Amino acid sequence: MGQKINPVGLRLGIVRGWDSSWYGGRTFADKLVEDHKIRKYIDARIQKGGIAKVVIERTLKRITLTIHTARPGVVIGKGGTEVDKIKEELKKLTNKDVQINIFEIKRPEMDAKLVGESIAQQLEARISYRRAMKQAIASTMRVGSEGIKVKLSGRLAGADMARTEQYKEGRIPLHTLRADIDYAISEAQTVYGKIGIKVWIFKGEVYGKRDLSPNVGMVSNAPGENKGGGSGAGGDRRRGGGGRGERRDDRGGRGERQDRGGDRGGDSRRARK
């Protein structure tokens, strides 16, 4: 069962909470469709915002959106202008009062959605898929994850026939319900077709009763949400720091190229046998 079902859906109400928090009643279908429209719109509107998830909470006349992002500076914009624009556009889309909160993700390497998106961006930039996968796994394990599995499907490296490849490190106990496993699907639109990316990240086991609120443990960027200035600049500086880390990963990529060379050598030896 654990291998065939979405790990997030399997753990709802046990170690994971819902990303939409409201009571539907007779208008459940309309609200569900509206939630889907809001998430789709935000993903398209802030493509480079590093958005991991959007939590939607509803009262009678107000919708409260909590955007979890690795780059709050991009979402907030200079002086908070970007947030205000998004708020007005969402008001027109939903005909309701909209409030937006922004939570910063301190460790994007531990979020399955963000890891998948970073691999997708690298594949679209024509970086070797093996190198992209191994770098993502190494950075996630370095941050303190207990296990990670990455699976790619499609015309890998432009091959004529689609195939599936996966790498994993550590452990990912999919049958253990108390295991906190983050899971996400991303897509890379390459010149030779779409490549599907699945990421599982095991963050540890949860013992006892857990608070299932989707925003638990997150740090709000509320002070800069409307004023924008200080918070946005801080977000940009943090992104600059992340850039330095990425360059270090690139330099460390030489070892991975040697590994790939070793893999090719192993393949040719097997072919000769």
Side-chain angles (χ1 to χ4, degrees):
M1 187 66 173
Q3 298 289 335
K4 296 173 181 67
I5 196 169
N6 188 312
V8 175
L10 184 63
R11 289 164 178 79
L12 279 178
I14 301 168
V15 294
R16 286 291 295 257
W18 285 259
D19 286 351
S20 291
S21 177
W22 40 265
Y23 174 71
R26 292 185 179 181
T27 59
F28 180 88
D30 297 333
K31 289 176 181 172
L32 188 65
V33 170
E34 195 172 76
D35 278 11
H36 178 67
K37 279 183 186 172
I38 289 169
R39 289 197 173 96
K40 196 174 176 183
Y41 170 78
I42 287 174
D43 283 342
R45 178 74 169 72
I46 323 168
Q47 287 181 337
K48 294 181 180 176
I51 292 171
K53 67 177 177 180
V54 178
V55 177
I56 299 174
E57 294 167 291
R58 291 172 183 267
T59 55
L60 205 58
K61 291 183 181 177
R62 174 177 282 190
I63 300 173
T64 304
L65 301 181
T66 307
I67 300 174
H68 293 247
T69 173
R71 297 173 179 171
V74 174
V75 180
I76 292 167
K78 193 171 182 180
T81 52
E82 200 66 25
V83 167
D84 294 336
K85 278 183 195 171
I86 294 165
K87 198 182 287 186
E88 292 304 316
E89 288 160 8
L90 285 171
K91 276 182 186 174
K92 287 178 186 173
L93 184 75
T94 60
N95 295 321
K96 293 183 184 76
D97 188 29
V98 177
Q99 182 186 342
I100 298 177
N101 300 322
I102 295 165
F103 280 12
E104 183 186 1
I105 295 172
K106 297 286 187 185
R107 294 188 296 173
E109 298 90 354
M110 289 286 280
D111 192 282
K113 182 70 176 171
L114 296 178
V115 170
E117 291 294 336
S118 74
I119 294 172
Q121 286 170 14
Q122 291 178 66
L123 294 178
E124 287 168 1
R126 301 200 179 192
I127 290 172
S128 161
Y129 71 92
R130 277 199 189 95
R131 182 181 178 191
M133 290 167 83
K134 286 180 178 176
Q135 274 192 0
I137 288 169
S139 62
T140 301
M141 293 302 289
R142 202 184 307 129
V143 167
S145 167
E146 292 196 27
I148 176 172
K149 179 166 75 170
V150 180
K151 183 186 275 190
L152 263 62
S153 302
R155 291 183 59 190
L156 302 177
D160 287 341
M161 188 174 286
R163 68 182 192 275
T164 299
E165 276 205 27
Q166 72 172 30
Y167 286 94
K168 64 179 179 179
E169 195 171 323
R171 66 191 195 97
I172 304 100
L174 297 178
H175 287 70
T176 309
L177 289 177
R178 67 169 177 264
D180 185 5
I181 293 176
D182 194 13
Y183 169 75
I185 300 175
S186 300
E187 288 180 343
Q189 184 63 62
T190 64
V191 290
Y192 36 81
K194 271 191 181 174
I195 290 179
I197 304 156
K198 291 182 178 180
V199 181
W200 293 257
I201 296 177
F202 176 40
K203 299 180 179 178
E205 294 187 13
V206 178
Y207 296 96
K209 188 77 176 152
R210 187 180 201 183
D211 184 1
L212 299 180
S213 167
N215 299 327
V216 71
M218 299 301 293
V219 179
S220 175
N221 259 25
E225 179 196 347
N226 295 320
K227 302 181 189 78
S231 180
D236 291 337
R237 278 199 297 273
R238 276 189 289 275
R239 275 186 286 133
R244 286 195 291 275
E246 284 158 19
R247 285 198 287 277
R248 281 200 295 274
D249 287 346
D250 287 344
R251 285 203 295 273
R254 293 193 202 101
E256 284 160 13
R257 281 198 289 277
Q258 288 162 7
D259 290 345
R260 290 211 313 280
D263 291 344
R264 282 199 294 272
D267 291 341
S268 60
R269 279 196 295 276
R270 279 195 292 275
R272 282 199 293 273
K273 284 178 187 174

